[in-house]
Amino acid sequence: TPTEDWFEHPSISDLHIVGMLKLSGIASLRDLRGEHVPLLRSMVADGLRIIHQLYGVDSDQVRVYIPYPPHYSMYRFHIYYTRISHTEGCLVESAHLVDDVIQNLEMDSDFYTKRTIQYKVRVTDELYKRVWLNEVSSDAFALSDLDIADGDY
């Protein structure tokens, strides 16, 4: 069975699982309200339970976070479950721990409508180019003058 094949398999050290929300109306962290706390708790508990059943990974070895800004290749709200040792995509600028999100929403149901959320944007991203071109006069500097390699931040 898949459980037997994957249970404590060496490749689970890089465990990276996406939990997709079927409910419409929530696209990102910004859409979350206090009323969504039970949903978030359920996503965390169910995901951790399934990960333990399928892969034998204990919950204290799994990081559960919400990416922000959301990855636009996914059109629904989602959370990630990764091994603690797996750091890809878990930078503080882009990964919001679900436990922290729950606590913030419990303190203020509209927390994420009010909160300024800083995040890192690659200089090769379209958003960066649009902001940069609006901030800097094209007479003073041309984006093509930058020495940028793909993947630079």
Side-chain angles (χ1 to χ4, degrees):
T1 67
T3 302
E4 292 169 352
D5 291 344
W6 285 104
F7 195 79
E8 296 181 352
H9 191 279
S11 69
I12 62 170
S13 64
D14 290 334
L15 186 75
H16 191 103
I17 296 175
V18 180
M20 301 290 289
L21 183 63
K22 291 182 181 179
L23 180 69
S24 62
I26 303 173
S28 79
L29 185 63
R30 289 266 181 221
D31 297 321
L32 294 173
R33 304 292 178 269
E35 67 193 62
H36 299 121
V37 167
L39 173 70
L40 292 171
R41 287 180 197 247
S42 176
M43 289 180 79
V44 170
D46 292 347
L48 292 174
R49 178 180 47 77
I50 291 167
I51 288 168
H52 186 264
Q53 287 174 348
L54 291 178
Y55 304 109
V57 178
D58 292 332
S59 61
D60 65 347
Q61 295 301 307
V62 180
R63 177 186 296 111
V64 185
Y65 67 93
I66 300 168
Y68 189 86
H71 301 121
Y72 290 104
S73 61
M74 297 188 191
Y75 298 105
R76 293 196 176 273
F77 175 80
H78 57 283
I79 63 177
Y80 288 117
Y81 305 83
T82 63
R83 288 296 293 261
I84 295 290
S85 58
H86 183 79
T87 58
E88 181 77 24
C90 298
L91 298 174
V92 70
E93 303 91 13
S94 61
H96 299 265
L97 297 174
V98 177
D99 287 340
D100 291 344
V101 171
I102 289 171
Q103 184 177 24
N104 291 337
L105 291 171
E106 287 175 333
M107 290 187 301
D108 181 351
S109 181
D110 295 323
F111 184 86
Y112 291 101
T113 65
K114 303 170 187 175
R115 174 80 165 94
T116 299
I117 303 174
Q118 296 181 358
Y119 56 91
K120 188 187 299 188
V121 178
R122 293 176 186 234
V123 295
T124 54
D125 287 350
E126 186 62 30
L127 176 62
Y128 180 87
K129 293 173 187 175
R130 289 180 184 205
V131 170
W132 181 259
L133 291 175
N134 285 330
E135 295 286 326
V136 178
S137 165
S138 60
D139 293 335
F141 193 82
L143 189 59
S144 60
D145 291 338
L146 290 173
D147 183 21
I148 301 171
D150 282 340
D152 285 353
Y153 290 90

